[in-house]
Amino acid sequence: MATVTEPSALDAASAEARGRLAELAAIRAQALAGPGEKATAAQHAKGKLTARERIELLLDPDSFQEVEQLRRHRATGFGLEAKKPYTDGVITGWGTVEGRTVFVYAHDFRIFGGALGEAHATKIHKIMDMAIAAGAPLVSLNDGAGARIQEGVAALAGYGGIFQRNAKASGVIPQISVMLGPCAGGAAYSPALTDFVFMVRETSQMFITGPDVVKAVTGEEVSQNGLGGADVHAETSGVCHFAYDDEETCLAEVRYLLCLLPANNRQTPPAVAAGDPADRATAALAQVVPADGSRPYDMHRVLEELVDDGELLEVHERWARNIICALARLDGQVVGLVANQPQTLAGVLDIEASEKAARFVQMCDAFNIPILTLLDVPGFLPGVDQEHGGIIRHGAKLLYAYCNATVPRISLVLRKAYGGAYIVMDSQSIGADLTYAWPTNEIAVMGAEGAANVIFRKQIAAAQDPQAMRARVAKEYKAELMHPYYAAERGLVDDVIDPADTRTVLIKSLAMLRTKHADLPSRKHGNPPQ
């Protein structure tokens, strides 16, 4: 016989359920509000957004799903037991960018200054593990004061767990660090392990030892921005890939970058319908690039003429400007561009340019982005500083990166391609799938004058008019070994093409190579030059 519940009992149960829901709503409201309006006003007064405002800008509207919102620390001592805010100073979860899943964690500077404690670190570890397991990009919004000193070594161990996961995720999922406040000491190594670092001028800084320590140890006086601000890292150290004036622009560019990257290393970058015709002629290139190899020009104009709608996302735009690394689209397909910049240092390769390009090539290869290399390079930069600084091992980094890359690779020689720099810049001999050249190309061991000085030095020295002799033998050398078809006749260039046909040729070549499959020898990993 069924038991009949008294109406009063049902009412009591319903009232209890409503009470529980009201309690949950109050706790959630407290967690969402954070430490209060005063702390939020202080954050805004510094020109900074709150963690939740940043997440809203980064992700598609109403897509964020928070994880462990109600987490609180369990530390005691130094007054911590009396202060146990929800979230413990970091907001973690996932959402979408243009409909694609992205994981995110954001330090809340209003709580403990965004400092990392045990519970805080555990939340980050979890979201990183989820991103790796799901095969989706991870974005960190950094605004923290480093390790939570009151929690001692437990906080330091938390950083170790983050670093270990950064390394595990490297080359597996895109990792993007967005610096929106201070990042000092060991905390700075996590962004350094990720694929891209964004910074905001004036409000974000990165350094291992702060200005006070620097002054105490070396006597040098420097501001926080002078030591580790966005401009310093974008122009001098190369730590920062992108720098912007405000958080809104910065986060919009993060979204744009994510739209150019695949979710993980098993996928290809997202393609879009191209509004720019694949067969569009690029006749203007013949006027952009002077035939005279000694005259500079802006390589940006060449790239903008080639790619869809002239749109580029340049990486490390202000560091090592003698080489350009950028992401763009050709016929709607993402491609990585590496190009010498004749406008800076005549486009030579030096230590910084080699490092910049090597890192970019490795990133493209890791995430299945075809690489297009445009050459106009007179060689490596000579000098005592370069040799003593290790140009040999730094140049070898770029050589190693290209040789190790299995994605589709196309190189295009516009003008000069001399010596070892020609080989290193993805020549056919190190594995480029296709190599094209314009009729203005000069592929050789060195320039004609330099070659003449070496080969004919005795004849030049013995001549009645050394200058005239040098000019004559240089002309002979150029005609014999540096004419535009010398490399093509020997199979080192697949074709010499009209600049006007360049875009069409590249798009057709990339379409053919899209199904390329190449295996490296079985190994744990290589041992690249350092």
Side-chain angles (χ1 to χ4, degrees), residues 225-529:
N225 281 320
L227 181 63
D231 288 329
V232 169
H233 287 311
E235 295 179 9
T236 306
S237 72
V239 170
C240 169
H241 298 79
F242 305 96
Y244 299 99
D245 290 330
D246 57 79
E247 295 190 15
E248 291 83 356
T249 304
C250 180
L251 292 169
E253 290 300 297
V254 174
R255 285 178 58 90
Y256 181 52
L257 173 59
L258 285 166
C259 293
L260 295 172
L261 299 174
N264 55 62
N265 64 336
R266 300 182 303 277
Q267 298 182 13
T268 55
V272 299
D276 196 347
D279 59 354
R280 171 173 58 80
T282 50
L285 292 176
Q287 283 72 50
V288 171
V289 181
D292 181 355
S294 64
R295 289 179 57 193
Y297 61 94
D298 188 356
M299 182 64 80
H300 289 103
R301 294 180 60 193
V302 175
L303 300 179
E304 288 165 2
E305 180 70 18
L306 288 175
V307 303
D308 293 355
D309 305 311
E311 291 185 0
L312 301 168
L313 181 62
E314 189 170 352
V315 180
H316 273 141
E317 180 180 2
R318 296 161 61 196
W319 181 61
R321 297 188 184 194
N322 42 320
I323 200 160
I324 297 170
C325 298
L327 293 171
R329 292 184 186 275
L330 277 170
D331 198 30
Q333 302 287 338
V334 177
V335 63
L337 303 168
V338 181
N340 307 111
Q341 172 57 296
Q343 212 168 47
T344 302
L345 295 175
V348 297
L349 286 178
D350 61 3
I351 289 172
E352 291 185 346
S354 298
E355 287 191 332
K356 171 179 170 177
R359 173 76 171 176
F360 183 76
V361 167
Q362 287 174 176
M363 184 280 298
C364 289
D365 187 50
F367 295 115
N368 306 312
I369 299 172
I371 301 168
L372 171 60
T373 305
L374 288 84
L375 288 82
D376 192 345
V377 59
F380 282 94
L381 181 65
V384 175
D385 288 344
Q386 289 290 306
E387 296 296 343
H388 289 186
I391 185 62
I392 294 173
R393 62 186 174 86
H394 290 290
K397 293 178 184 178
L398 180 55
L399 180 60
Y400 186 97
Y402 270 125
C403 290
N404 208 45
T406 60
V407 292
R409 292 155 48 192
I410 300 174
S411 63
L412 171 66
V413 181
L414 279 61
R415 292 195 310 186
K416 303 181 297 297
Y418 294 161
Y422 154 65
I423 299 295
V424 168
M425 289 286 290
D426 206 19
S427 62
Q428 190 178 101
S429 59
I430 66 168
D433 296 296
L434 289 167
T435 303
Y436 297 110
W438 285 356
T440 48
N441 82 83
E442 292 181 358
I443 303 174
V445 176
M446 61 177 68
E449 288 242 349
N453 286 335
V454 173
I455 299 171
F456 304 105
R457 65 181 181 275
K458 291 182 180 179
Q459 294 93 318
I460 293 171
Q464 290 184 343
D465 187 348
Q467 287 286 73
M469 174 62 77
R470 181 182 292 106
R472 183 173 68 80
V473 295
K475 185 177 180 180
E476 290 175 1
Y477 178 86
K478 190 170 185 177
E480 182 69 24
L481 296 178
M482 293 180 63
H483 63 78
Y485 308 102
Y486 184 85
E489 290 170 0
R490 284 151 183 80
L492 298 174
V493 167
D494 290 295
D495 199 6
V496 179
I497 62 175
D498 186 334
D501 298 330
T502 304
R503 174 177 162 86
T504 302
V505 170
L506 293 177
I507 287 174
K508 288 182 177 179
S509 300
L510 287 168
M512 179 276 293
L513 289 168
R514 201 162 294 141
T515 55
K516 173 188 174 182
H517 178 77
D519 289 320
L520 292 172
S522 178
R523 60 184 174 185
K524 187 175 183 181
H525 56 74
N527 187 23

Side-chain angles (χ1 to χ4, degrees), residues 29 42 73 95 126 160 174 179 189 197 201 205 219 224 251 256-257 339 354 382 384 432 434 530:
H73 73 77
K126 179 171 183 174
M179 315 313 296
Y189 282 114
V197 175
R201 295 185 182 90
Q205 303 88 28
Q224 287 196 347
L251 292 169
Y256 181 52
L257 173 59
S354 298
V384 175
L434 289 167
Q530 298 297 323

